[in-house]
Amino acid sequence: MNIQVNGEWREVRAADLAAALAELGFAEAVIATAVNGTFVPAPKRSAAALADGDRLEVLAPMQGG
Amino acid sequence: MLSLYEVPVRSRLLLGTARFPSPAVLAEAVQASGAEVLTVSLRRESAGERAGQAFWSIVRELGARVLPNTAGCHTVKEAVTTAHMAREVFATSWIKLEVIGEEDTLQPDVFGLVEAARILCAEGFEVFPYTTEDLIVAERLLAAGCRVLMPWGAPIGSGMGLNNLFGLKALRAHFPAVPLVIDAGIGVPSHAAQALELGFDAVLINTAVSQAVDPVRMAAAFAQAVSAGHEAFLAGPMEPRDMAVPSTPVVGSALLR
């Protein structure tokens, strides 16, 4: 299926968020995720099914004021 | 000692981590500043570059407490969602809550700010709201559950110092027991000293240090200014007067005309 990852269309085979993150190269990374604008806590990623067209945000620590 | 949500903080200088020339300069500046609290943010991560992972390992090595912000959020929903994500990533209930209302001044949307603060405080967050010096907004933020306020000195990154002295003094006088941190607008160490002299509890500085020609040296200068300003506040500054008052005693002056 095709999903948007941080604004870019990507094709993923995984059906849930945890598997998609691993497939996209985010395994072990310190990140927080949101699907279609809603925060998905780390413990709930395996149970979060993805659908074609979903918008995934993957955020990580960054410099800030 | 200053206490922010029951956390004792020795340094009254809080430092932002943005716009430093390099991670090495950031690390050196943090040490020179003596800051124990650093603001950080969340941004989209690229699996290839992993810039966020590299930054996070640098910050963790510094050993400082982090204060994540919701910079760039313009709505209550964005700010609340960002706070949730920050709590998970940074493993802290502290959140510097920013709800930006206007692009040119980056002035907080105080209505959205109060609403977001109410939601986050109810969820157990310890909220540091980036606000204006408005007394009524401050009251609403405290009623929402905030126990620290962060009024702006001037627009973010402007370096103009304390723009509304009357308003800031009134805020300080009105809430003598609430930790007040001047956030935004400080340009040079004398601005920071002035804030502490007025009795503000701390200042949060970023651009004034990171954009200095020598950020490490400037960080040290701010540390001294903050310390001097707080000492001056404790010492009790004299009242200004409109007319001159001779400092040398006039009693016993010779008549030499």
Side-chain angles (χ1 to χ4, degrees), chain A residues 6-7 24-34 37-43 45 57-65, chain B residues 16-18 39-47 50-53 55-56 60 69 77 81 84-85 88-90 96 98 206:
Chain A
N6 288 341
L24 291 163
F26 290 109
E28 311 284 309
V30 178
I31 49 168
T33 52
T38 302
F39 170 52
V40 181
R45 285 177 194 157
E57 292 288 332
V58 182
L59 305 189
M62 192 55 64
Q63 294 85 346
Chain B
T17 56
T39 55
V40 292
S41 195
L42 279 179
R43 284 293 180 273
R44 286 172 164 179
E45 180 77 326
S46 148
R50 290 190 165 236
Q53 311 304 305
F55 170 69
W56 185 223
R60 268 187 305 196
N69 68 27
K77 180 180 183 294
T81 302
H84 287 150
M85 297 174 87
E88 181 176 275
V89 162
F90 296 107
K96 175 184 161 184
E98 297 182 35
N206 189 343

Side-chain angles (χ1 to χ4, degrees), chain A residues 62-65, chain B residues 16-18 38-43 67-83 86 94-103 105-117 120 126-132 141 146 150-152 154-157 183-185 204 206-207:
Chain A
M62 192 55 64
Q63 294 85 346
Chain B
T17 56
L38 303 178
T39 55
V40 292
S41 195
L42 279 179
R43 284 293 180 273
L67 174 57
N69 68 27
T70 63
C73 292
H74 288 74
T75 66
V76 172
K77 180 180 183 294
E78 280 177 312
V80 168
T81 302
T82 302
W94 281 16
I95 190 78
K96 175 184 161 184
L97 183 60
E98 297 182 35
V99 183
I100 298 301
E102 204 275 321
E103 257 333 297
T105 58
L106 297 179
Q107 176 160 344
D109 167 1
V110 293
F111 305 97
L113 182 69
V114 170
E115 195 181 331
L120 292 172
E126 295 176 311
V127 177
F128 295 64
Y130 164 60
T131 183
T132 66
L141 287 168
C146 298
M150 303 225 290
W152 65 350
I156 296 171
D183 174 16
L204 170 47
N206 189 343
T207 313

Side-chain angles (χ1 to χ4, degrees), chain B residues 12 193 196 221-233:
Chain B
R12 291 171 182 272
L196 274 291
F222 266 104
Q224 292 178 47
V226 164
S227 172
H230 183 60
E231 279 299 309
F233 168 69

